[in-house]
Amino acid sequence: MIEDLIAIVVGFGAGVLSALFGVGGGLIFVPTLIFLGNDAHVAVATSLAAMVPVIVMGSWRQSRYGSIEWHDAIVIGLASVPTAKLGEMAATSLSSQALERAFAALLLFVAAQMAWHALREPPPDADP
């Protein structure tokens, strides 16, 4: 019961964050599902499945604003299909603990990269 309530709250939060920043599943669902006691492999797979409705709704709404670069989306999407199999094979070859550590390392790398760019680049409207 409490896990369902947490999942509902996380779902609402992921929906907002996904629409706001283009993130959600991996950054929100996976750590939460692991925190709730799920195996890392189950957390990753559940996160992927849970993101389908978020992606559909977010894409539909953003397309109404004309915000989607369809050429880029198609190229990235098509390139992701065969490589998703490679990622799945790599994930299943790792233990749950190793997968958790790899995920944590990825999150740290992404956070460092985002912080670096945010602190180094002037805002788009800044005068040169």
Side-chain angles (χ1 to χ4, degrees), residues 63-107:
S63 70
R64 294 183 71 205
Y65 298 119
S67 300
I68 298 175
E69 292 289 339
W70 285 107
H71 178 265
D72 294 344
I74 291 168
V75 169
I76 292 168
L78 290 175
S80 298
V81 172
T83 55
K85 179 61 179 171
L86 295 174
E88 176 267 328
M89 290 168 51
T92 56
S93 71
L94 298 172
S95 69
S96 181
Q97 185 179 33
L99 186 57
E100 284 183 39
R101 288 180 179 169
F103 187 78
L106 174 66
L107 288 178

